[in-house]
């Protein structure tokens, strides 16, 4: 059960609500975000919900039986819209585009990609400076110096930044240079990181783990929300299956299913989703038809020279073509 509390509730009224909920055998968790105050109540017993709804200080009350509560679409009918400022919004209709290289490599590389994005009216740039790599000998990213440069070039050109945060200690140092924190597939269940991201005032995109279920993804998002941050979006990026003909299996099913289960924006990552450059556009288009709120994909001036994931990265021509096709599709 989720209880939405009135703003600036007196301690006495809150105490009364808590004791009534405890009396019906439910445990309470208090959640405060920049948007509202909630009580997430966990229990199994049957009770008359009207008894709670009529208590003073209760704005609304909803029964949510799923393991995840605050990210469920059951209590919040209106979709969550993430406003990054300057007219850049994600969710609530339309298709948000985020594009950029797998890794930030140099100022020259960033400038060229920013020019490409500006030209195509793509307002959000992706690019990792902390790269989770299977091999410790592979390029692991430019780190904070790279992020500062990336941020400077983007801010100058009105482009918003999404980039991966790998550990709790990076959250604070990255904060001022980014617009959206990305939680990678490998950190989808790094609960300490999720807790920390619940305490920041910036949106978070959380990727599905490589072998994560839909339910686990939603519960990971619940970690962040229940810690106080409801500016969240979910990302399908392909899962590991027995198939070896491509890098990952993009789970198209996840798009409509997530859209049904949650009010959060659902983003598709066709680049990691299939991992094969020639087929990235087909997967992106399919995800848009399936109802995705946004597409995040990899683009580089010279994919064959990219420091990471070149095999799934579009060149500028392919990227321009994809943007045109996506916009035509949703218009
Ligand atoms: C990335 O976005 O470059 C990345 C590492 O993605 P994922 O976490 O989905 O593998
Ligand atoms: Mn990548």
């Amino acid at each position: 059960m989720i209880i939405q509390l009135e703003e600036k509730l007196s301690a006495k009224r809150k105490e009364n609500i808590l004791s009534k909920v405890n009396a019906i055998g439910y445990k309470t968790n208090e959640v405060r975000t920049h948007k509202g105050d909630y009580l997430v109540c966990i229990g199994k017993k049957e009770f008359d919900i009207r008894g709670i709804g009529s208590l003073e200080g209760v704005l609304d009350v909803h029964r949510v039986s799923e393991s995840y509560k605050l990210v469920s679409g059951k209590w919040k009918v209106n979709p969550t819209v993430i406003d990054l400022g300057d007219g850049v919004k994600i969710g609530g209709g339309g298709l948000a585009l985020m594009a950029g290289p797998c890794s930030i490599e140099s100022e020259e590389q960033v400038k060229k990609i920013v020019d490409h994005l500006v030209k195509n009216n793509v307002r959000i740039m992706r690019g990792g400076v902390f790269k989770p790599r299977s091999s410790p000998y592979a390029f692991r990213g430019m780190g904070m110096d790279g992020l500062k440069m990336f941020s400077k070039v983007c801010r100058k050109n009105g482009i918003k930044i999404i980039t991966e945060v790998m550990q709790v200690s990076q959250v604070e140092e990255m904060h001022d240079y980014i617009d959206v924190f990305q939680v990678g597939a490998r950190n989808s269940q790094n609960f300490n990181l999720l807790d920390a991201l619940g305490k920041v005032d910036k949106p978070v995109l959380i990727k599905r783990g490589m072998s994560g279920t839909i339910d686990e993804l939603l519960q990971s998002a619940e970690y962040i929300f229940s810690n106080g941050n409801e500016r969240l979006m979910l990302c399908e990026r392909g899962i590991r299956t027995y198939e070896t003909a491509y890098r990952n299996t993009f789970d198209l099913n996840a798009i409509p299913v997530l859209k049904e289960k949650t009010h959060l924006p659902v983003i598709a990552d066709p680049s990691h989703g299939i991992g094969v450059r020639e087929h990235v556009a087909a997967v992106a288009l399919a995800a848009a038809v399936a109802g995705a709120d946004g597409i995040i994909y990899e683009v580089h001036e010279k994919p064959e020279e990219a420091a990471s994931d070149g095999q799934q990265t579009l060149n500028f021509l392919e990227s321009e073509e994809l943007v045109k096709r996506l916009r035509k599709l949703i218009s």
Side-chain angles (χ1 to χ4, degrees):
M1 167 172 59
I2 296 174
I3 301 174
Q4 285 174 269
L5 300 173
E6 273 173 13
E7 234 182 289
K8 300 196 183 91
L9 191 61
S10 70
K12 198 170 153 221
R13 282 192 178 169
K14 191 190 263 181
E15 220 23 75
N16 182 45
I17 297 169
L18 288 170
S19 72
K20 291 282 179 352
V21 174
N22 291 334
I24 54 168
Y26 277 56
K27 286 214 169 83
T28 51
N29 302 272
E30 293 184 42
V31 173
R32 167 167 287 179
T33 73
H34 70 293
K35 273 194 177 160
D37 288 339
Y38 311 88
L39 282 181
V40 180
C41 311
I42 308 295
K44 284 202 168 22
K45 290 205 186 102
E46 279 303 314
F47 65 96
D48 187 350
I49 201 161
R50 288 170 300 184
I52 302 291
S54 59
L55 294 174
E56 280 188 300
V58 171
L59 261 189
D60 216 343
V61 58
H62 318 261
R63 235 185 256 278
V64 182
S65 51
E66 282 82 4
S67 49
Y68 48 90
K69 309 281 179 198
L70 292 160
V71 303
S72 165
K74 284 223 174 121
W75 72 276
K76 185 169 180 272
V77 223
N78 292 333
T80 290
V81 178
I82 293 168
D83 191 345
L84 299 182
D86 304 319
V88 184
K89 289 185 182 169
I90 305 166
L95 187 71
L97 298 180
M98 315 175 208
C102 180
S103 300
I104 297 302
E105 296 164 9
S106 67
E107 186 163 346
E108 194 196 353
Q109 175 225 29
V110 171
K111 281 183 171 162
K112 282 189 173 151
I113 297 174
V114 163
D115 282 349
H116 168 73
L117 300 184
V118 169
K119 194 172 146 218
N120 289 282
N121 196 25
V122 172
R123 307 286 309 277
I124 309 167
M125 180 160 163
R126 60 144 291 145
V129 294
F130 297 112
K131 298 302 302 178
R133 304 304 301 275
S134 300
S135 163
Y137 308 117
F139 178 62
R140 292 169 70 177
M142 288 182 77
M144 277 310 294
D145 288 344
L147 181 57
K148 286 177 187 168
M149 172 276 291
F150 179 24
S151 182
K152 206 165 150 190
V153 180
C154 284
R155 299 260 192 269
K156 222 164 124 185
N157 289 277
I159 298 282
K160 305 293 175 186
I161 289 184
I162 174 168
T163 190
E164 177 164 354
V165 55
M166 281 179 61
Q167 58 186 39
V168 176
S169 63
Q170 290 163 351
V171 173
E172 207 180 308
E173 54 176 356
M174 291 172 73
H175 180 276
D176 293 350
Y177 301 97
I178 62 120
D179 298 290
V180 181
F181 283 107
Q182 173 178 321
V183 176
R186 292 156 191 82
N187 268 313
S188 200
Q189 286 193 311
N190 179 340
F191 301 120
N192 292 328
L193 181 60
L194 302 178
D195 280 343
L197 291 170
K199 297 182 176 75
V200 298
D201 59 357
K202 295 253 165 126
V204 180
L205 173 143
I206 169 160
K207 288 198 171 193
R208 181 179 182 180
M210 278 187 222
S211 53
T213 63
I214 302 263
D215 198 78
E216 284 165 341
L217 175 59
L218 288 161
Q219 294 203 63
S220 291
E222 187 81 16
Y223 262 87
I224 305 179
F225 199 140
S226 62
N227 271 283
N229 185 357
E230 54 182 284
R231 299 172 77 199
L232 297 172
M233 49 194 136
L234 306 175
C235 179
E236 165 58 34
R237 51 77 74 202
I239 49 174
R240 276 269 170 93
T241 69
Y242 54 79
E243 186 51 71
T244 55
Y246 27 82
R247 183 181 182 189
N248 292 303
T249 298
F250 182 80
D251 180 11
L252 187 61
N253 302 357
I255 307 290
V257 169
L258 283 170
K259 290 292 293 175
E260 182 224 328
K261 289 184 183 295
T262 179
H263 53 82
L264 300 176
V266 176
I267 311 299
D269 175 348
S271 305
H272 296 84
I274 187 161
V276 182
R277 181 176 165 190
E278 290 74 16
H279 305 304
V280 166
V283 176
L285 290 158
V289 173
D293 296 291
I295 307 286
I296 184 166
Y297 69 93
E298 292 179 337
V299 60
H300 193 287
E301 192 199 12
K302 293 183 182 135
E304 42 296 324
E305 289 174 21
S308 56
D309 284 353
Q311 82 291 342
Q312 64 189 31
T313 300
L314 303 185
N315 63 29
F316 289 170
L317 221 69
E318 290 163 336
S319 165
E320 189 169 330
E321 182 68 14
L322 175 59
V323 170
K324 277 192 194 137
R325 290 175 75 188
L326 284 168
R327 293 210 171 114
K328 198 167 162 208
L329 191 73
I330 56 146
S331 65

